[in-house]
Amino acid sequence: AKLAEWRGELYAALDYAALGAWRPWVDYPLDVDGAGGLRVWLEIAAGRLTGVTTDFALRDARARLGAELEDIPLTRAAGRLRYRDEAGVTEASGRQLALQTDDGMRLAPTDFFLRLHGKTATAPARGEFLANRLDLGVLSRLAGRLPFDPAFRERLAEIAPVGDVAPLNVKWSAEAGRLVAYSVDARFARLGIEPVGAWPGFSGLSGRVEGNEKGGRFSLTGKDASVELPQIFPQPRLALAELAAEGSWRHPDGLLEVNLASASFANRDTRGSAAGRYRARRDTPGEIDLQARLSEADARAVWRYMPAVVGKEARDWLQHSLTGGKAQDARLVLKGDLAKFPFRNPKDGTFRVTARVADGQLDYAPGWPKIEGVSGDLLFEGAGMVVKAQRGRIFGAELKDVTAVLPDFETDNTLAVRGSAHGPTQEFLRFIARSPVADSINHFTDPFRVEGNGSLDLQLALPLHKLADSRVKGE
């Protein structure tokens, strides 16, 4: 007679049930529909349903895990689910849970446990999630239909994770919809996330990550992986056939600090290594201290590894001008406050990229004859760029001590080329005929034929924005 004092359990087993048909008699704790076999344990306390456990094998089912959440349309679903809601604590767990949705998502048999604590006067909303194996791609796509904290759901949508995690242990707390604390310990395979703020994006990585809102550490390996570093490199994603890296992060005084202890990588362009540190506050470019080295790089790919702080004109010039050869030893040093790049004042920081090029090909400006067989050095330092070629050739003439200088890739984008050549004089006339000089002199020298050897001194001033205003001086 006193239902409010009841405590107990009700058990039912059905070889076949149409869940929708039982709705007039059963107040389901979840909004579910479908047909199949069921075993159900209902827990009752204080006159209300406080928990439910069910073993099920359903087809053409539908489930809604919260009034404000979307339906999960299921072609097939099987496993054990347990749900409990009492004293402000919600728990959900699954054993050997497998499902397939109408839109093609498949979840392999998985065990998980989720606990959510509602906000109280003395504590923020809290949650924890454990799983023996988790398909992050499925989780990300289902996030809007699962009873996650809104801040956690928003974070998942931002990073759009894919890959397998086995096992996973995550805890978090949130205040006013903002994530204020978390901890994570996970091993993963074929992991991928989108870049968010200062955090890099990547795909195809395996390894481990463990830490919390104060800091943590990571170790990574990858085969046929990719990395996206929007704060450092402008290229969308750097493809990596091999990758190994170790590092850590922390949040001193509200900063984000990422330490890359070591990284080695290889792809079709080069092999290389890197190490360094990055620190940033929200909405600032941050401070960086990065060293990297490339060995046996394809000279045609050097531009891909120029950091974003290098001017676009300089990167474009490298892309179109270094058309062959090997960069035998390329090194990068980038240190300082990125808000002050390109460090015109040496006190503000250091930016230096050096590369030794062998058997290169330099197409320094459209319409001008290429320099082939280049052996020399490429230097980016501060705001400018210098190419020094100790040897090279144009047609049959040998070049010595050729320099190409871009004084400032932000304020002065006029490329100055100087050099001397020695060889058959006819080759110098051929150079004139194949260059814009021929139009300037109405092709006056085209019919000339000369025997013997000679030398040529040449100076070019090539405005990269307006090559029609180029100037040439030679003897």
Side-chain angles (χ1 to χ4, degrees):
K2 298 181 180 179
L3 295 179
E5 297 179 3
W6 279 31
R7 175 176 293 274
E9 183 178 82
L10 177 66
Y11 168 75
L14 299 170
D15 290 337
Y16 175 83
L19 299 182
W22 285 82
R23 195 176 302 279
W25 296 279
V26 178
D27 184 13
Y28 295 126
L30 303 174
D31 184 4
V32 294
D33 202 350
L38 291 172
R39 289 185 302 189
V40 182
W41 293 260
L42 302 178
E43 300 172 34
I44 300 169
R48 60 183 289 268
L49 186 66
T50 58
V52 58
T53 301
T54 177
D55 293 339
F56 62 94
L58 303 176
R59 57 178 174 79
D60 299 325
R62 176 191 60 79
R64 176 178 290 184
L65 304 184
E68 75 287 358
L69 301 176
E70 302 176 24
D71 286 351
I72 304 176
L74 301 167
T75 304
R76 297 185 186 87
R80 166 171 284 195
L81 282 177
R82 186 171 188 272
Y83 178 83
R84 184 175 178 83
D85 184 3
E86 190 173 16
V89 178
T90 301
E91 292 182 354
S93 63
R95 290 186 60 188
Q96 293 299 295
L97 178 66
L99 59 85
Q100 179 179 343
T101 66
D102 289 352
D103 52 2
M105 284 188 288
R106 293 175 181 267
L107 180 68
T110 300
D111 297 346
F112 74 88
F113 174 77
L114 172 68
R115 178 185 286 130
L116 301 174
H117 295 261
K119 184 180 184 303
T120 67
T122 58
R126 293 173 290 137
E128 63 177 310
F129 182 79
L130 298 88
N132 68 328
R133 177 185 181 277
L134 198 61
D135 186 327
L136 291 182
V138 172
L139 175 66
S140 181
R141 293 173 65 184
L142 285 176
R145 306 171 186 178
L146 298 177
F148 288 153
D149 181 87
F152 185 70
R153 187 185 300 125
E154 182 179 346
R155 191 67 171 176
L156 273 179
E158 281 184 329
I159 65 177
V162 296
D164 294 324
V165 181
L168 170 68
N169 186 342
V170 180
K171 298 180 181 180
W172 68 91
S173 61
E175 190 83 55
R178 183 175 62 89
L179 193 65
V180 295
Y182 71 91
S183 67
V184 59
D185 186 358
R187 297 180 185 272
F188 49 86
R190 299 179 299 280
L191 182 67
I193 64 171
E194 294 298 317
V196 177
W199 285 97
F202 50 81
S203 65
L205 297 186
S206 300
R208 185 178 185 181
V209 59
E210 52 182 332
N212 53 39
E213 75 282 356
K214 297 179 181 179
R217 62 182 185 271
F218 59 86
S219 60
L220 306 172
T221 62
K223 296 285 187 182
D224 298 322
S226 67
V227 176
E228 187 168 358
L229 301 163
Q231 299 285 334
I232 300 176
F233 295 105
Q235 280 297 97
R237 286 195 181 240
L238 299 177
L240 302 170
E242 301 174 17
L243 172 68
E246 292 186 352
S248 62
W249 78 89
R250 64 191 189 104
H251 297 276
D253 302 323
L255 294 171
L256 167 64
E257 181 177 296
V258 180
N259 288 284
L260 182 63
S262 65
S264 60
F265 54 89
N267 59 18
R268 64 180 183 180
D269 296 329
T270 186
R271 304 189 71 88
S273 60
R277 184 186 69 178
Y278 175 79
R279 302 183 71 185
R281 293 188 184 276
R282 186 181 295 273
D283 302 324
T284 67
E287 298 178 3
I288 196 168
D289 185 355
L290 177 68
Q291 300 85 39
R293 181 178 181 181
L294 304 179
S295 60
E296 292 297 326
D298 186 336
R300 295 171 297 179
V302 167
W303 67 276
R304 291 194 183 104
Y305 304 96
M306 293 296 105
V309 288
V310 173
K312 183 178 184 301
E313 291 82 6
R315 293 197 311 271
D316 289 347
W317 184 85
L318 280 173
Q319 180 182 1
H320 298 296
S321 298
L322 282 177
T323 57
K326 289 287 185 182
Q328 295 176 325
D329 185 11
R331 298 172 184 258
L332 164 69
V333 177
L334 181 59
K335 183 177 181 179
D337 184 350
L338 293 177
K340 299 179 180 179
F341 184 86
F343 310 137
R344 290 179 174 84
N345 184 344
K347 295 181 180 180
D348 293 334
T350 301
F351 169 63
R352 184 184 304 111
V353 177
T354 60
R356 180 170 292 276
V357 178
D359 196 26
Q361 188 176 81
L362 188 63
D363 188 2
Y364 48 91
W368 291 88
K370 298 178 182 179
I371 302 176
E372 298 180 321
V374 173
S375 294
D377 299 300
L378 171 67
L379 170 65
F380 281 82
E381 188 165 24
M385 177 192 73
V386 178
V387 179
K388 294 182 178 181
Q390 287 82 32
R391 292 188 301 277
R393 65 179 181 275
I394 296 180
F395 305 134
E398 294 296 324
L399 300 175
K400 289 186 177 181
D401 300 325
V402 176
T403 62
V405 179
L406 192 64
D408 192 310
F409 34 69
E410 289 186 353
T411 62
D412 184 355
N413 60 358
T414 297
L415 183 69
V417 181
R418 297 192 62 169
S420 61
H422 305 273
T425 304
Q426 185 64 42
E427 297 297 338
F428 305 148
L429 295 179
R430 183 181 174 193
F431 174 89
I432 293 172
R434 298 286 184 88
S435 75
V437 175
D439 290 334
S440 301
I441 62 174
N442 198 26
H443 294 271
F444 174 72
T445 60
D446 285 6
F448 286 13
R449 296 295 178 266
V450 180
E451 294 182 3
N453 295 323
S455 61
L456 171 68
D457 290 324
L458 187 66
Q459 299 179 38
L460 304 176
L462 308 170
L464 298 183
H465 278 322
K466 196 173 182 182
L467 288 171
D469 291 343
S470 298
R471 300 187 305 278
V472 59
K473 179 180 179 181
E475 182 178 354

